[in-house]
Amino acid sequence: MERVPPDVVIARAVRAHTRTLVALAGACLALAAVGLGGLSLAGDDLRTPPITAGLTLLGVGQVCALASAAVAGVGLVRVLRGVGEPGSDASSDAVREDVPRTTTRATASRLAVLMRITLGACVLAITVWALVASAGLLGAFVGALVTAQLVVVLALLRVHLLRSV
């Protein structure tokens, strides 16, 4: 089996974390755009329970997307701090100690936890809206469906991270 040079291993980990960070920042912006669209289309109905419920769930999605982006950013910083200069003995030692691979796997593991948290937060928010104002239930479901797309993005990014190392 061919041995991969240490700088290539490091570059793959850095690229995977960078793509994950950019994709999650984009997901946060996409959720913001959907929320802004909902606000602009609501008009006079802005304070009705369905609109408020939908926007609440979009807010939950944005918080989860920001938390996921923070996890990716922390993973990127850990890889960059742990490997040293390209071509140096420190980078070879870091690859020998498996720093890029363990950091990337830890990031993927944290994203899996955030997937569960996102789905759990959606279920919790729908339950709260069902108990507090059942008129907002439809809006909560729509917001949860949009937010659930973040979970799909997280799953795809997790697979990308795991395949990169």
Side-chain angles (χ1 to χ4, degrees):
M1 187 164 163
E2 185 180 335
R3 185 167 126 69
V4 180
D7 288 340
V8 173
V9 173
I10 294 166
R12 287 178 182 167
V14 168
R15 182 182 62 204
H17 278 91
T18 303
R19 285 183 178 174
T20 301
L21 179 60
V22 169
L24 289 169
C28 187
L29 290 174
L31 287 170
V34 170
L36 187 61
L39 283 173
S40 66
L41 291 174
D44 294 337
D45 297 330
L46 183 60
R47 291 198 169 94
T48 59
I51 301 298
T52 307
L55 292 175
T56 302
L57 268 293
L58 288 176
V60 166
Q62 279 191 309
V63 168
C64 291
L66 285 172
S68 301
V71 164
V74 167
L76 178 61
V77 168
R78 283 188 179 155
V79 170
L80 291 173
R81 282 190 178 165
V83 296
E85 294 291 320
S88 67
D89 290 337
S91 66
S92 296
D93 292 341
V95 171
R96 225 175 289 117
E97 294 169 8
D98 223 17
V99 171
R101 182 168 293 147
T102 55
T103 303
T104 303
R105 287 184 178 163
T107 301
S109 175
R110 289 180 182 113
L111 290 181
V113 170
L114 283 166
M115 289 167 50
R116 292 181 192 103
I117 289 172
T118 302
L119 288 176
C122 286
V123 170
L124 179 65
I126 289 172
T127 304
V128 167
W129 275 103
L131 295 173
V132 172
S134 61
L137 205 52
L138 181 61
F141 275 120
V142 171
L145 286 175
V146 174
T147 299
Q149 293 175 13
L150 173 65
V151 176
V152 174
V153 169
L154 286 171
L156 292 172
L157 291 171
R158 187 173 179 273
V159 168
H160 173 68
L161 278 168
L162 291 173
R163 285 188 178 173
S164 70
V165 292

mmCIF file of all heavy atoms in Angstrom, residues 29-56 58-59 62 139 142-143 146:
data_model
loop_
_atom_site.group_PDB
_atom_site.id
_atom_site.type_symbol
_atom_site.label_atom_id
_atom_site.label_comp_id
_atom_site.label_asym_id
_atom_site.label_seq_id
_atom_site.Cartn_x
_atom_site.Cartn_y
_atom_site.Cartn_z
ATOM 1 N N LEU A 29 -26.668 31.315 6.465
ATOM 2 C CA LEU A 29 -27.159 32.410 5.631
ATOM 3 C C LEU A 29 -28.416 32.017 4.865
ATOM 4 O O LEU A 29 -29.331 32.834 4.690
ATOM 5 C CB LEU A 29 -26.074 32.870 4.663
ATOM 6 C CG LEU A 29 -24.897 33.608 5.288
ATOM 7 C CD1 LEU A 29 -23.817 33.877 4.243
ATOM 8 C CD2 LEU A 29 -25.355 34.902 5.931
ATOM 9 N N ALA A 30 -28.480 30.769 4.411
ATOM 10 C CA ALA A 30 -29.673 30.307 3.704
ATOM 11 C C ALA A 30 -30.890 30.307 4.625
ATOM 12 O O ALA A 30 -31.987 30.724 4.223
ATOM 13 C CB ALA A 30 -29.432 28.913 3.132
ATOM 14 N N LEU A 31 -30.702 29.858 5.855
ATOM 15 C CA LEU A 31 -31.816 29.903 6.814
ATOM 16 C C LEU A 31 -32.232 31.341 7.106
ATOM 17 O O LEU A 31 -33.422 31.637 7.260
ATOM 18 C CB LEU A 31 -31.430 29.184 8.101
ATOM 19 C CG LEU A 31 -31.376 27.664 8.025
ATOM 20 C CD1 LEU A 31 -30.753 27.087 9.283
ATOM 21 C CD2 LEU A 31 -32.770 27.093 7.808
ATOM 22 N N ALA A 32 -31.260 32.236 7.165
ATOM 23 C CA ALA A 32 -31.583 33.654 7.371
ATOM 24 C C ALA A 32 -32.365 34.205 6.187
ATOM 25 O O ALA A 32 -33.318 34.984 6.361
ATOM 26 C CB ALA A 32 -30.308 34.460 7.584
ATOM 27 N N ALA A 33 -31.989 33.808 4.976
ATOM 28 C CA ALA A 33 -32.699 34.278 3.781
ATOM 29 C C ALA A 33 -34.128 33.761 3.755
ATOM 30 O O ALA A 33 -35.061 34.492 3.393
ATOM 31 C CB ALA A 33 -31.948 33.840 2.523
ATOM 32 N N VAL A 34 -34.325 32.515 4.148
ATOM 33 C CA VAL A 34 -35.682 31.964 4.211
ATOM 34 C C VAL A 34 -36.501 32.711 5.259
ATOM 35 O O VAL A 34 -37.670 33.051 5.035
ATOM 36 C CB VAL A 34 -35.643 30.445 4.504
ATOM 37 C CG1 VAL A 34 -37.029 29.905 4.802
ATOM 38 C CG2 VAL A 34 -35.034 29.698 3.337
ATOM 39 N N GLY A 35 -35.894 32.976 6.402
ATOM 40 C CA GLY A 35 -36.588 33.737 7.446
ATOM 41 C C GLY A 35 -36.933 35.142 6.996
ATOM 42 O O GLY A 35 -38.030 35.644 7.259
ATOM 43 N N LEU A 36 -36.003 35.774 6.310
ATOM 44 C CA LEU A 36 -36.257 37.121 5.792
ATOM 45 C C LEU A 36 -37.367 37.101 4.756
ATOM 46 O O LEU A 36 -38.225 37.986 4.739
ATOM 47 C CB LEU A 36 -34.970 37.696 5.197
ATOM 48 C CG LEU A 36 -35.012 39.139 4.753
ATOM 49 C CD1 LEU A 36 -35.316 40.053 5.933
ATOM 50 C CD2 LEU A 36 -33.682 39.524 4.130
ATOM 51 N N GLY A 37 -37.362 36.073 3.928
ATOM 52 C CA GLY A 37 -38.450 35.929 2.956
ATOM 53 C C GLY A 37 -39.794 35.740 3.646
ATOM 54 O O GLY A 37 -40.804 36.312 3.233
ATOM 55 N N GLY A 38 -39.796 34.925 4.702
ATOM 56 C CA GLY A 38 -41.033 34.739 5.463
ATOM 57 C C GLY A 38 -41.505 36.026 6.104
ATOM 58 O O GLY A 38 -42.706 36.321 6.124
ATOM 59 N N LEU A 39 -40.570 36.813 6.616
ATOM 60 C CA LEU A 39 -40.934 38.101 7.212
ATOM 61 C C LEU A 39 -41.516 39.051 6.175
ATOM 62 O O LEU A 39 -42.500 39.743 6.424
ATOM 63 C CB LEU A 39 -39.705 38.751 7.862
ATOM 64 C CG LEU A 39 -39.279 38.199 9.209
ATOM 65 C CD1 LEU A 39 -37.959 38.829 9.631
ATOM 66 C CD2 LEU A 39 -40.341 38.459 10.250
ATOM 67 N N SER A 40 -40.888 39.086 5.009
ATOM 68 C CA SER A 40 -41.362 40.020 3.987
ATOM 69 C C SER A 40 -42.702 39.597 3.396
ATOM 70 O O SER A 40 -43.507 40.442 3.009
ATOM 71 C CB SER A 40 -40.316 40.176 2.875
ATOM 72 O OG SER A 40 -40.166 38.977 2.164
ATOM 73 N N LEU A 41 -42.960 38.303 3.341
ATOM 74 C CA LEU A 41 -44.236 37.828 2.800
ATOM 75 C C LEU A 41 -45.365 37.888 3.829
ATOM 76 O O LEU A 41 -46.534 37.872 3.457
ATOM 77 C CB LEU A 41 -44.091 36.392 2.293
ATOM 78 C CG LEU A 41 -43.241 36.202 1.049
ATOM 79 C CD1 LEU A 41 -43.056 34.720 0.757
ATOM 80 C CD2 LEU A 41 -43.865 36.903 -0.136
ATOM 81 N N ALA A 42 -45.014 37.941 5.115
ATOM 82 C CA ALA A 42 -46.039 37.919 6.158
ATOM 83 C C ALA A 42 -46.903 39.159 6.152
ATOM 84 O O ALA A 42 -48.108 39.088 6.406
ATOM 85 C CB ALA A 42 -45.382 37.748 7.523
ATOM 86 N N GLY A 43 -46.290 40.298 5.864
ATOM 87 C CA GLY A 43 -47.050 41.540 5.832
ATOM 88 C C GLY A 43 -47.723 41.831 7.158
ATOM 89 O O GLY A 43 -47.101 41.880 8.212
ATOM 90 N N ASP A 44 -49.059 41.999 7.131
ATOM 91 C CA ASP A 44 -49.822 42.318 8.339
ATOM 92 C C ASP A 44 -49.984 41.116 9.276
ATOM 93 O O ASP A 44 -50.330 41.271 10.435
ATOM 94 C CB ASP A 44 -51.211 42.845 7.963
ATOM 95 C CG ASP A 44 -51.129 44.180 7.242
ATOM 96 O OD1 ASP A 44 -50.103 44.875 7.419
ATOM 97 O OD2 ASP A 44 -52.058 44.516 6.497
ATOM 98 N N ASP A 45 -49.742 39.936 8.758
ATOM 99 C CA ASP A 45 -49.907 38.714 9.556
ATOM 100 C C ASP A 45 -48.655 38.341 10.336
ATOM 101 O O ASP A 45 -48.521 37.221 10.803
ATOM 102 C CB ASP A 45 -50.267 37.537 8.641
ATOM 103 C CG ASP A 45 -51.587 37.752 7.945
ATOM 104 O OD1 ASP A 45 -52.465 38.424 8.528
ATOM 105 O OD2 ASP A 45 -51.749 37.248 6.817
ATOM 106 N N LEU A 46 -47.748 39.288 10.492
ATOM 107 C CA LEU A 46 -46.443 39.007 11.086
ATOM 108 C C LEU A 46 -46.536 38.402 12.480
ATOM 109 O O LEU A 46 -45.761 37.525 12.829
ATOM 110 C CB LEU A 46 -45.607 40.292 11.122
ATOM 111 C CG LEU A 46 -44.195 40.152 11.646
ATOM 112 C CD1 LEU A 46 -43.405 39.186 10.792
ATOM 113 C CD2 LEU A 46 -43.515 41.505 11.666
ATOM 114 N N ARG A 47 -47.493 38.848 13.271
ATOM 115 C CA ARG A 47 -47.573 38.390 14.662
ATOM 116 C C ARG A 47 -48.562 37.253 14.874
ATOM 117 O O ARG A 47 -48.917 36.941 16.005
ATOM 118 C CB ARG A 47 -47.916 39.574 15.562
ATOM 119 C CG ARG A 47 -46.762 40.548 15.633
ATOM 120 C CD ARG A 47 -46.880 41.465 16.811
ATOM 121 N NE ARG A 47 -45.657 42.202 16.989
ATOM 122 C CZ ARG A 47 -45.423 43.413 16.494
ATOM 123 N NH1 ARG A 47 -46.347 44.007 15.767
ATOM 124 N NH2 ARG A 47 -44.280 44.017 16.718
ATOM 125 N N THR A 48 -48.963 36.606 13.809
ATOM 126 C CA THR A 48 -49.868 35.467 13.964
ATOM 127 C C THR A 48 -49.055 34.232 14.378
ATOM 128 O O THR A 48 -47.867 34.131 14.067
ATOM 129 C CB THR A 48 -50.622 35.171 12.647
ATOM 130 O OG1 THR A 48 -49.666 34.887 11.627
ATOM 131 C CG2 THR A 48 -51.493 36.354 12.246
ATOM 132 N N PRO A 49 -49.683 33.312 15.099
ATOM 133 C CA PRO A 49 -48.941 32.141 15.589
ATOM 134 C C PRO A 49 -48.225 31.315 14.507
ATOM 135 O O PRO A 49 -47.092 30.900 14.732
ATOM 136 C CB PRO A 49 -50.015 31.321 16.305
ATOM 137 C CG PRO A 49 -51.014 32.319 16.756
ATOM 138 C CD PRO A 49 -51.039 33.368 15.667
ATOM 139 N N PRO A 50 -48.829 31.069 13.336
ATOM 140 C CA PRO A 50 -48.086 30.256 12.361
ATOM 141 C C PRO A 50 -46.780 30.921 11.896
ATOM 142 O O PRO A 50 -45.759 30.243 11.770
ATOM 143 C CB PRO A 50 -49.057 30.107 11.185
ATOM 144 C CG PRO A 50 -50.401 30.330 11.760
ATOM 145 C CD PRO A 50 -50.212 31.307 12.874
ATOM 146 N N ILE A 51 -46.803 32.215 11.670
ATOM 147 C CA ILE A 51 -45.593 32.911 11.225
ATOM 148 C C ILE A 51 -44.561 32.918 12.349
ATOM 149 O O ILE A 51 -43.377 32.624 12.130
ATOM 150 C CB ILE A 51 -45.927 34.356 10.781
ATOM 151 C CG1 ILE A 51 -46.939 34.365 9.637
ATOM 152 C CG2 ILE A 51 -44.662 35.103 10.409
ATOM 153 C CD1 ILE A 51 -46.466 33.699 8.373
ATOM 154 N N THR A 52 -45.007 33.238 13.549
ATOM 155 C CA THR A 52 -44.096 33.269 14.696
ATOM 156 C C THR A 52 -43.497 31.889 14.951
ATOM 157 O O THR A 52 -42.294 31.765 15.219
ATOM 158 C CB THR A 52 -44.837 33.768 15.946
ATOM 159 O OG1 THR A 52 -45.466 35.009 15.657
ATOM 160 C CG2 THR A 52 -43.889 33.946 17.111
ATOM 161 N N ALA A 53 -44.306 30.852 14.855
ATOM 162 C CA ALA A 53 -43.815 29.491 15.079
ATOM 163 C C ALA A 53 -42.784 29.099 14.020
ATOM 164 O O ALA A 53 -41.734 28.527 14.338
ATOM 165 C CB ALA A 53 -44.979 28.510 15.080
ATOM 166 N N GLY A 54 -43.080 29.393 12.770
ATOM 167 C CA GLY A 54 -42.136 29.074 11.694
ATOM 168 C C GLY A 54 -40.819 29.790 11.858
ATOM 169 O O GLY A 54 -39.742 29.201 11.694
ATOM 170 N N LEU A 55 -40.896 31.071 12.211
ATOM 171 C CA LEU A 55 -39.668 31.840 12.402
ATOM 172 C C LEU A 55 -38.889 31.363 13.629
ATOM 173 O O LEU A 55 -37.659 31.393 13.647
ATOM 174 C CB LEU A 55 -39.993 33.329 12.514
ATOM 175 C CG LEU A 55 -40.518 33.971 11.220
ATOM 176 C CD1 LEU A 55 -40.928 35.414 11.474
ATOM 177 C CD2 LEU A 55 -39.493 33.884 10.108
ATOM 178 N N THR A 56 -39.605 30.906 14.639
ATOM 179 C CA THR A 56 -38.940 30.350 15.816
ATOM 180 C C THR A 56 -38.118 29.121 15.441
ATOM 181 O O THR A 56 -36.962 28.977 15.836
ATOM 182 C CB THR A 56 -39.979 29.964 16.887
ATOM 183 O OG1 THR A 56 -40.743 31.105 17.229
ATOM 184 C CG2 THR A 56 -39.315 29.393 18.117
ATOM 185 N N LEU A 58 -36.963 28.390 12.482
ATOM 186 C CA LEU A 58 -35.831 28.818 11.660
ATOM 187 C C LEU A 58 -34.707 29.364 12.536
ATOM 188 O O LEU A 58 -33.526 29.160 12.245
ATOM 189 C CB LEU A 58 -36.267 29.866 10.640
ATOM 190 C CG LEU A 58 -37.129 29.355 9.486
ATOM 191 C CD1 LEU A 58 -37.571 30.517 8.598
ATOM 192 C CD2 LEU A 58 -36.411 28.314 8.680
ATOM 193 N N GLY A 59 -35.084 30.055 13.600
ATOM 194 C CA GLY A 59 -34.080 30.537 14.557
ATOM 195 C C GLY A 59 -33.347 29.393 15.234
ATOM 196 O O GLY A 59 -32.131 29.449 15.438
ATOM 197 N N GLN A 62 -30.858 28.172 12.795
ATOM 198 C CA GLN A 62 -29.701 29.059 12.675
ATOM 199 C C GLN A 62 -28.740 28.887 13.847
ATOM 200 O O GLN A 62 -27.531 28.870 13.658
ATOM 201 C CB GLN A 62 -30.147 30.512 12.593
ATOM 202 C CG GLN A 62 -30.586 30.902 11.212
ATOM 203 C CD GLN A 62 -30.764 32.399 11.109
ATOM 204 O OE1 GLN A 62 -31.452 32.998 11.935
ATOM 205 N NE2 GLN A 62 -30.137 32.985 10.124
ATOM 206 N N GLY A 139 -47.188 26.283 11.152
ATOM 207 C CA GLY A 139 -45.972 27.069 10.950
ATOM 208 C C GLY A 139 -44.766 26.402 11.580
ATOM 209 O O GLY A 139 -43.656 26.423 11.022
ATOM 210 N N VAL A 142 -43.667 23.577 9.275
ATOM 211 C CA VAL A 142 -42.967 24.095 8.091
ATOM 212 C C VAL A 142 -41.558 24.550 8.468
ATOM 213 O O VAL A 142 -40.586 24.231 7.770
ATOM 214 C CB VAL A 142 -43.777 25.238 7.439
ATOM 215 C CG1 VAL A 142 -42.969 25.925 6.353
ATOM 216 C CG2 VAL A 142 -45.080 24.703 6.875
ATOM 217 N N GLY A 143 -41.434 25.268 9.561
ATOM 218 C CA GLY A 143 -40.108 25.693 10.016
ATOM 219 C C GLY A 143 -39.220 24.513 10.351
ATOM 220 O O GLY A 143 -38.014 24.519 10.077
ATOM 221 N N VAL A 146 -37.864 22.912 7.149
ATOM 222 C CA VAL A 146 -36.742 23.683 6.596
ATOM 223 C C VAL A 146 -35.492 23.463 7.442
ATOM 224 O O VAL A 146 -34.397 23.267 6.921
ATOM 225 C CB VAL A 146 -37.103 25.182 6.495
ATOM 226 C CG1 VAL A 146 -35.907 26.005 6.057
ATOM 227 C CG2 VAL A 146 -38.258 25.384 5.520
#
